[in-house]
Amino acid sequence: MTLPDEVSHRQPETPAIRKAVRGAAIGNTVEWFDFAIYSVLATYIADKFFPSGNDTVALLNTFAIFAAAFFMRPLGGFFFGPLADRIGRQRVLAIVILLMSGSTFAIGLVPSYDTIGVAAPLILLLLRCLQGFSAGGEYGSGACFLAEYAPDKHRGFIVSFLVWSVVVGFLLGSITVTVLQAVLSEAAMDSYGWRIPFLLAGVLGVVGLYIRLRLRDTPEFEELQAEGDVSESPLKEALTSSWRPILQIFGLVLVHNVGFYTVFTFLPSYFTQTLKLTKMDAFVSITIASVVALVLIPPLGALSDRIGRKSLLIAGSVGSIVFAYPLFVLLNSGSLAAAVAGHAGLAAVEAVFVSASLAAGAELFATRVRSGAYSIGYNVSVAIFGGTAPYVATWLTDRTGNELAPAYYLIIAAIVSLATVLTMKETAARPLRKHVTE
């Protein structure tokens, strides 16, 4: 990846910035590969961890456990976010990747419902909650890590690589499962093949941990440490001094998360369960949608540095409001090519918003409380709306019989985010604040 050569006097040299971006992005890719393979393997998990019967009910139960992990994210955010404000972003990023990969590896070892009965889904739920707890410390700390390394004039571009790496993680998870399905028989895949990606997470976790242990902490945090100005009670300080921007980031990332988990988690199952297309069709579609997002996110992040965060955030919100319904109509037109085009279109609209949202969120807060405040607002929002998106979309489709129902959920989320963006000040190209009173 090519990174800008201009750095302000407060930032490290360009090689250090490149190392920070690569380290954060690679580690984040490993984290979200772990998190993504659960959704990609949802139909296998539904079959293995729940009693046979109604396939829709089993899939709903699988997505319910997927959502349960997100309800643990606020706890992880409340714990790891302030911890990163006390001991540093780099240390927390190392801890969370170890916890995420370990719990993912353990999922690959859990016996099925037919073997140990109700204990199977209960253990699965526990391990998913551990994943959610660790993920609560990943995104906030990672966004702050990159924001604090980035030069002021290029912060949008650099921070965009965090969400870019999430898409890479999801795509690698999808590719891994598809390759296994291609080389293994259906019987082998059903017997043990579905466990392989979870076990692979253990190896990837060791790689990610090694990378993150070699990173230095951010210049902003090291400067606070040198001045003896690290907050002694960052959680209390964040809640008392930064409650307004915490509420802003809660609303800001609503369409970020509903859109993201609709595109990359819900739609692959929607292709097979609702549109009655093949798993290969779903793979082709999610691959194309992922590539569209990967191509668009970095240049759009750079564009937000030039024309402002709010321009991109408003465009992304309005895009979801205007295009969500017609793109879902396209998905349901009966043509595979049209369905893939609709999926890619949704990914493109989502890329516009997410390319600027993480940098805009980090810029709301002062360094003393940035990781904790960011993690609290972000993870409460994703727990309520993002993690439930696949469940709500599946439930709405099943209960109403309307295959376009998920579009309405996405539109409502976009309206809330748009209203939030309009309350925010432009923060692009401005220095990060150290203290709440600045």
Side-chain angles (χ1 to χ4, degrees), residues 92-426:
V92 166
L93 289 174
I95 293 170
V96 295
I97 196 172
L98 182 63
L99 183 58
M100 170 69 84
S101 297
S103 54
T104 306
F105 178 80
I107 289 176
L109 301 176
V110 179
S112 67
Y113 183 91
D114 290 342
T115 303
I116 60 173
V118 71
L122 290 177
I123 295 172
L124 177 64
L125 176 62
L126 173 63
L127 294 172
R128 283 291 296 170
C129 286
L130 286 175
Q131 284 186 317
F133 187 70
S134 68
E138 169 66 28
Y139 226 41
S141 299
C144 294
F145 183 83
L146 289 184
E148 291 174 4
Y149 254 106
D152 299 332
K153 293 182 180 180
H154 302 292
R155 189 174 299 117
F157 173 64
I158 286 176
V159 176
S160 72
F161 279 101
L162 193 73
V163 71
W164 181 87
S165 67
V166 174
V167 180
V168 173
F170 271 85
L171 180 58
L172 288 178
S174 177
I175 290 173
T176 300
V177 173
T178 302
V179 169
L180 286 171
Q181 289 173 331
V183 301
L184 297 177
S185 67
E186 183 58 32
M189 191 69 193
D190 185 66
S191 174
Y192 64 86
W194 67 271
R195 296 182 183 273
I196 294 175
F198 292 101
L199 301 178
L200 181 61
V203 177
L204 295 177
V206 172
V207 175
L209 178 63
Y210 172 78
I211 291 170
R212 288 192 164 175
L213 288 174
R214 290 170 57 85
L215 297 175
R216 283 190 62 176
D217 220 315
T218 71
E220 295 280 336
F221 184 78
E222 289 183 342
E223 193 172 327
L224 276 185
Q225 281 185 315
E227 296 172 355
D229 202 23
V230 174
S231 176
E232 295 182 1
S233 182
L235 177 59
K236 181 180 178 180
E237 187 174 339
L239 292 174
T240 56
S241 68
S242 302
W243 60 268
R244 188 175 186 273
I246 287 175
L247 291 177
Q248 286 178 317
I249 198 169
F250 177 93
L252 171 69
V253 301
L254 203 152
V255 74
H256 175 126
N257 287 303
V258 170
F260 193 91
Y261 288 102
T262 296
V263 171
F264 296 103
T265 299
F266 169 69
L267 283 182
S269 295
Y270 186 83
F271 264 64
T272 57
Q273 298 295 313
T274 302
L275 303 183
K276 305 303 180 183
L277 296 170
T278 67
K279 291 179 180 177
M280 182 55 66
D281 294 335
F283 169 73
V284 170
S285 188
I286 191 63
T287 300
I288 292 174
S290 298
V291 171
V292 167
L294 291 174
V295 169
L296 290 178
I297 287 171
L300 287 171
L303 183 62
S304 78
D305 288 320
R306 298 188 62 185
I307 68 174
R309 313 279 185 249
K310 291 186 69 172
S311 298
L312 271 293
L313 296 173
I314 291 171
S317 301
V318 172
S320 292
I321 295 168
V322 173
F323 294 113
Y325 185 84
L327 287 172
F328 264 88
V329 171
L330 194 61
L331 278 167
N332 286 271
S333 64
S335 163
L336 174 60
V340 172
H343 196 173
L346 288 167
V349 173
E350 179 69 3
V352 175
F353 192 90
V354 302
S355 64
S357 56
L358 293 186
E363 290 164 345
L364 290 173
F365 304 103
T367 303
R368 276 173 61 92
V369 299
R370 181 170 293 117
S371 184
Y374 191 109
S375 297
I376 291 167
Y378 182 92
N379 286 298
V380 171
S381 182
V382 74
I384 298 174
F385 299 105
T388 59
Y391 183 92
V392 171
T394 302
W395 182 84
L396 285 173
T397 303
D398 183 62
R399 289 298 297 268
T400 65
N402 184 355
E403 296 172 348
L404 305 178
Y408 301 121
Y409 188 48
L410 183 55
I411 290 170
I412 293 170
I415 292 171
V416 175
S417 289
L418 176 61
T420 302
V421 171
L422 295 176
T423 71
M424 296 167 55
K425 296 179 180 180
E426 182 57 66

